[in-house]
Amino acid sequence: MMATDAATRAWRIADGRSLDLGRPVICGILNVTPDSFSDGGRHLGRDAALSRAEAMLAEGADVIDVGGESTRPYNDGAVDARTERLRVEPIIAAIMARFPTAVISVDTVKSEVARAALDAGAAIVNDVSGLRLDPAMPGVVARAGAGVVVMHSRGEVRDMATYAHADYPHDAVVEAVVGELAERATHARSAGIVQEAIVLDPGVGFSKRPEHSVAVLRRLDEVVALGYPVLVGASRKRFIGTLTGVPDPLARVHGTAGAHVAALARGARLFRVHDVMAARHALDVAWAILGDERAG
Ligand code: HH2
């Protein structure tokens, strides 16, 4: 079942660049929301965002993932496109001015925000709706030649990180996630996004109870078998709190490292993380031992 497609060896992103997937790729999270549950808005503001980006690059981040809208459950701070754009655009422009070779992704479900971010220098669109919520999004990605993360979720932004849509008949969560991701990938390609630009993400914690998140990570090879590189966003998430008994997201760094290494062994090649150095060290050591089984 292991995919050996050449398309999973590199990720095509905007401006004719590509990211080598011959080693674990780390996407450091830079939230520029005033309401992020995980950083309490501490990185709001241009200077703070720049120093956070600089620190993450120094710690070994390959990509900086800039987000201006929180997916926190039933978040009252849901933002319109203009507000979100005004949050992310100047930060992306500032990072590109200071670190011209940086690779930036924009975490948004809105095509207007994605377009502005790509114009400001972002090379990747990270859409947690899997291109479901804004019909103009695939066209924006295709025209820019950008990379795209197609993540599995259900529902709207306000409830996609809840259990409102976590119904999986006969507990067939893996079958559902694989089927729905395959459908989203087909949709992306029919809109003109090339295969080499697409990365799939099972959406840990999105419309999934902790046991669902564990199940999709355990059988992640079935997502990998769809033939696209796979990104996992397990960092500090609730299922890690459930497994470790650690209620404080900031204290879940060790549990997160366990999730990263397990996901790597099951075929994940990209990791969206808060604690870049911990992830870099854990994944580099695990990679030296596990190697790339798919390379044969
Ligand atoms: N998780 C969150 C946000 N964006 N993108 C991808 N591709 N995969 C994920 O798993 C994912 C994501 C939510 O995590 P967090 O950053 O901790 O929360 P917030 O962005 O709401 O602050």
Side-chain angles (χ1 to χ4, degrees):
M1 285 285 280
M2 283 290 187
T4 52
D5 195 325
T8 61
R9 310 289 307 171
W11 186 15
R12 190 182 300 179
I13 59 175
D15 300 320
R17 291 192 283 174
S18 68
L19 274 175
D20 178 17
L21 301 177
R23 67 192 272 268
V25 168
I26 292 181
C27 309
I29 299 167
L30 184 62
N31 284 321
V32 289
T33 59
D35 50 9
S36 164
F37 82 90
S38 55
D39 69 9
R42 279 187 286 118
H43 303 308
L44 189 65
R46 188 178 166 283
D47 290 347
L50 269 177
S51 35
R52 183 75 193 120
E54 181 171 25
M56 290 198 290
L57 291 169
E59 290 178 17
D62 303 290
V63 177
I64 304 291
D65 186 44
V66 179
E69 181 179 39
S70 175
T71 50
R72 194 174 56 179
Y74 303 118
N75 173 31
D76 291 329
V79 287
D80 57 61
R82 184 172 176 278
T83 305
E84 190 181 334
R85 181 168 59 76
L86 291 176
R87 285 180 185 170
V88 301
E89 196 178 14
I91 300 296
I92 291 170
I95 297 172
M96 289 310 290
R98 179 81 63 87
F99 310 105
T101 59
V103 176
I104 296 179
S105 67
V106 60
D107 187 342
T108 187
V109 301
K110 301 186 186 76
S111 61
E112 180 184 331
V113 177
R115 194 183 307 116
L118 293 165
D119 286 346
I124 298 161
V125 176
N126 173 24
D127 185 343
V128 296
S129 82
L131 308 174
R132 285 185 300 111
L133 294 180
D134 186 337
M137 185 67 104
V140 166
V141 171
R143 277 190 294 280
V148 63
V149 179
V150 176
M151 196 197 81
H152 177 266
S153 65
R154 294 171 168 180
E156 305 291 322
V157 169
R158 64 187 296 277
D159 67 1
M160 62 171 59
T162 72
Y163 305 144
H165 306 282
D167 301 318
Y168 300 99
H170 314 296
D171 276 338
V173 60
V174 179
E175 289 79 357
V177 169
V178 169
E180 289 165 36
L181 272 180
E183 189 269 323
R184 298 323 298 160
T186 302
H187 175 72
R189 291 177 69 173
S190 66
I193 302 175
V194 296
Q195 177 177 3
E196 294 78 9
I198 299 170
V199 161
L200 300 183
D201 179 343
V204 171
F206 283 87
S207 312
K208 293 168 196 74
R209 298 177 185 279
E211 61 271 27
H212 296 143
S213 292
V214 172
V216 293
L217 290 173
R218 176 178 300 165
R219 289 168 55 188
L220 196 68
D221 51 328
E222 295 177 39
V223 180
V224 173
L226 290 172
Y228 299 88
V230 170
L231 182 147
V232 161
S235 188
R236 299 182 182 173
K237 283 198 175 155
R238 192 180 316 176
F239 85 101
I240 290 172
T242 306
L243 291 171
T244 58
V246 175
D248 177 7
L250 291 167
R252 294 177 184 157
V253 59
H254 305 100
T256 297
H260 286 157
V261 170
L264 180 76
R266 290 285 198 265
R269 288 293 172 268
L270 304 101
F271 304 83
R272 181 181 181 273
V273 314
H274 299 92
D275 305 289
V276 172
M277 190 183 288
R280 184 82 272 165
H281 290 176
L283 287 163
D284 283 354
V285 171
W287 185 245
I289 295 165
L290 295 168
D292 189 352
E293 290 163 5
R294 287 180 299 147

